[in-house]
Amino acid sequence: MSSSAYAPAPESTRPTIRNEYGLFIGGKWVAPQSARYDASIDPAREQAIARVAYGDADDIARALRSARKAYERWWEPMKPASRAKYIYRIARAITERSREIAVLESMDGGKPIREARDFDIPTAASHFFYHAGWADKLEWVARAGRAPRALGVCGAIVPWNFPLLMAAWKIAPALACGNTVILKPAETTPLTALLLAQIAQDADLPPGVLNVVTGDGATGAALVAQGDLDKLAFTGSTEVGREIARAVAGRKTRLTLELGGKAAHILFADAPLDQAIEGVVRGIYFNQGHVCCAGSRLLVEESILDEVVDRLQQRIDRLRLGDPLDKNTDIGAINSRAQLERIDELVRSGVEQGATLRQQRCDLPERGYFYRASFFTNVESSHRIAREEIFGPILAVMSFRTPEEAIEKANDTPYGLSAGVWTERGSKNMAVAQQLKAGVVWCNTFNRFDPSSPFGGFRESGFGREGGIHGLREYLA
Ligand code: NAD
């Protein structure tokens, strides 16, 4: 069945978008000192949506001054229950404007509107609701014998795959603990962060409590270089994470790094196969595979390998690839031309190294950055597609014979962010899960998130946790 078998179901909501956005500093929209702007592109249409300011070191210094003043004068001295009121207001505003925000997220990043509407925006709102509830109960979070005390000014640098959600993961706990924030969104997806700034302004959040300085890697590097930051929370690639760790070493700045991943998804022969195939599809093709914890290495017990491969091909042929703003779309646009080229380069390396490529059989739209849902068979553990993070809709399928072999192959990666196990036997599931070197292990499901559940990795996937009590502690002294 091809995507053309479905009548179009275009999203009708149209968000209000300005032609040009300045920086949000000290509760006001200001022009960047750098005087530099660049366009944010709709990757499905290859069209500019709006011009966005690129902040420089002076802009970052200005944001830092305003965040420091807000911390000392208003936010930290405020009664925790009053702080909670502001965070609840932001949560409610996100919920009330959720459709508009979802459309903007989909336009700016290329993700299917169905995912932005049903996952990104409600989950972002739930992080604000959850953390608002904690603001006046932090004595239950602080380590034994310590009073809960904020850190000060926090820098937050986020990537383009879940722009609003990654911002919420950092801003909500930071504010709940009494810190102020400077957010640096990714250059390809700044628009929902700017809408969040607008929401904060409408919520009368005291000026300087949340500052949004848009820009590229240079803007991020300028934020990292600010020795006066009390905390830096970074989500992004392992390479940049390494640079940041080097820059921050020896300073007072507390650091958490949420980096890349290459998750193993283990499928035993006794797994409930219908559900498991859906879990595998959700695990890798959700958000076009632009997911740090994507299940990008599928390890299948040898006796069911052929059946799994056939069923996967059938299933990806039924995915609908196309306009992200169509409510039927399963696979939207790749976030940028640069990312499309990176995916293409890694896929070609897989073919050259001898793996067999299988792809979704469908037409691609004439415009925009699109890539078919794909998977490789005949993959060796040494192939680049089995080792490097592709960050696209590409799955590497490998097989195993015993649980020990599955565990060994799963752990044969420098990353340690997430993993998944499918088997009908609970004891086997638990036994295998405990031996996987990953921060999160999903059992008979995949890619499930909740604000109360800590998330994070170790080894090359970073350190520190976001979400739950563990995440809150990262924002307390
Ligand atoms: P990236 O590292 O290139 O960029 C991330 C952010 O850092 C962007 O805002 C960017 O402008 C900024 N940046 C770039 N260079 C910088 C520098 N030298 N100093 C400071 N900031 C800098 O990553 P990306 O391509 O935007 O995102 C994809 C990566 O993010 C993937 O590796 C993915 O696995 C990872 N990720 C991890 C998690 C997690 O929770 N572990 C979640 C989402 C994405």
Side-chain angles (χ1 to χ4, degrees):
M1 192 184 290
S2 78
S3 54
S4 58
Y6 286 76
E11 169 62 53
S12 53
T13 308
R14 283 288 173 268
T16 309
I17 305 173
R18 298 187 217 158
N19 290 332
E20 193 173 277
Y21 288 87
L23 307 171
F24 185 68
I25 297 177
K28 294 197 184 82
W29 294 95
V30 297
Q33 312 263 9
S34 64
R36 205 184 140 204
Y37 290 82
D38 209 338
S40 192
I41 306 286
D42 174 345
R45 292 170 181 74
E46 296 181 59
Q47 275 171 2
I49 309 175
R51 278 160 50 79
V52 175
Y54 273 42
D56 64 10
D58 289 341
D59 296 305
I60 292 285
R62 185 155 55 138
L64 196 72
R65 284 194 297 276
S66 94
R68 180 69 63 200
K69 182 170 149 192
Y71 174 74
E72 288 169 0
R73 285 216 194 148
W74 300 301
W75 198 243
E76 200 275 333
M78 189 183 281
K79 273 201 341 225
S82 304
R83 260 190 242 135
K85 280 186 209 163
Y86 287 102
I87 305 171
Y88 273 125
R89 258 188 224 168
I90 293 172
R92 278 200 304 275
I94 294 174
T95 307
E96 280 157 18
R97 299 178 68 173
S98 62
R99 197 56 171 250
E100 173 195 356
I101 306 173
V103 173
L104 192 59
E105 197 75 304
S106 173
M107 288 171 72
D108 206 21
K111 67 175 66 212
I113 180 65
R114 197 167 45 80
E115 292 180 4
R117 182 196 65 195
D118 298 348
F119 175 72
D120 290 60
I121 311 309
T123 316
S126 72
H127 272 266
F128 281 100
F129 277 118
Y130 173 81
H131 287 97
W134 271 117
D136 60 353
K137 303 171 192 69
L138 292 173
E139 61 275 20
W140 298 97
V141 174
R143 289 184 176 86
R146 289 203 205 174
R149 202 159 49 79
L151 293 170
V153 178
C154 302
I157 302 179
V158 297
W160 44 259
N161 55 343
F162 295 96
L164 185 74
L165 183 57
M166 291 298 105
W169 277 22
K170 293 170 170 46
I171 295 168
L175 297 191
C177 291
N179 304 283
T180 56
V181 177
I182 303 168
L183 172 71
K184 209 301 278 174
E187 51 271 46
T188 57
T189 54
L191 297 183
T192 49
L194 293 164
L195 185 49
L196 182 64
Q198 184 67 57
I199 285 173
Q201 198 178 30
D202 295 345
D204 285 331
L205 192 70
V209 173
L210 172 65
N211 306 275
V212 179
V213 181
T214 45
D216 55 9
T219 313
L223 180 57
V224 172
Q226 283 294 343
D228 198 30
L229 271 185
D230 297 292
K231 151 106 192 177
L232 187 63
F234 173 77
T235 298
S237 60
T238 297
E239 302 79 66
V240 175
R242 243 185 239 122
E243 269 179 52
I244 291 177
R246 271 195 294 269
V248 168
R251 276 175 23 192
K252 66 165 185 178
T253 312
R254 281 255 293 264
L255 182 65
T256 45
L257 295 175
E258 301 278 1
L259 310 176
K262 190 75 186 176
H265 207 160
I266 302 175
L267 207 56
F268 285 102
D270 59 11
L273 214 50
D274 289 342
Q275 290 96 319
I277 295 290
E278 288 313 302
V280 169
V281 167
R282 180 182 167 85
I284 184 65
Y285 302 119
F286 183 65
N287 198 26
Q288 297 76 246
H290 300 330
V291 182
C292 50
C293 52
S296 53
R297 289 181 299 141
L298 180 64
L299 303 175
V300 185
E301 193 160 349
E302 202 172 82
S303 58
I304 57 164
L305 179 64
D306 291 344
E307 185 184 356
V308 167
V309 167
D310 287 348
R311 289 176 72 157
L312 261 181
Q313 180 71 56
Q314 285 172 25
R315 187 65 185 83
I316 62 173
D317 283 340
R318 282 176 174 72
L319 293 173
R320 293 179 294 269
L321 179 152
D323 183 358
L325 286 179
D326 188 312
K327 287 174 250 173
N328 287 324
T329 294
D330 299 307
I331 306 278
I334 300 301
N335 182 262
S336 63
R337 184 184 292 282
Q339 186 60 21
L340 184 62
E341 285 167 3
R342 179 171 157 73
I343 293 169
D344 196 47
E345 191 268 321
L346 272 159
V347 169
R348 276 189 283 111
S349 84
V351 174
E352 279 159 22
Q353 290 191 307
T356 307
L357 176 64
R358 291 172 173 253
Q359 292 194 302
Q360 169 185 19
R361 286 168 284 210
C362 70
D363 298 328
L364 293 184
E366 281 169 16
R367 292 190 74 164
Y369 315 134
F370 288 92
Y371 205 91
R372 293 181 178 86
S374 311
F375 64 93
F376 276 105
T377 55
N378 299 319
V379 179
E380 302 286 335
S381 297
S382 57
H383 287 167
R384 285 182 64 200
I385 50 166
R387 306 207 69 75
E388 293 179 32
E389 186 183 44
I390 302 177
F391 226 56
I394 320 292
L395 176 67
V397 183
M398 292 173 274
S399 65
F400 67 87
R401 288 186 182 163
T402 63
E404 293 71 30
E405 189 189 349
I407 293 162
E408 194 185 318
K409 284 188 165 165
N411 289 337
D412 181 19
T413 169
Y415 293 108
L417 190 57
S418 65
V421 185
W422 290 83
T423 163
E424 216 159 45
R425 287 182 45 205
S427 55
K428 184 156 119 192
N429 214 325
M430 289 300 138
V432 172
Q434 277 168 5
Q435 293 176 73
L436 296 177
K437 294 186 177 141
V440 180
V441 182
W442 285 291
C443 296
N444 289 346
T445 187
F446 207 86
N447 268 350
R448 296 282 167 192
F449 300 90
D450 188 275
S452 63
S453 175
F455 181 88
F458 62 106
R459 301 202 283 193
E460 301 230 334
S461 294
F463 52 80
R465 294 291 176 265
E466 294 191 311
I469 290 175
H470 301 76
L472 274 159
R473 285 192 184 130
E474 308 279 2
Y475 288 92
L476 290 174

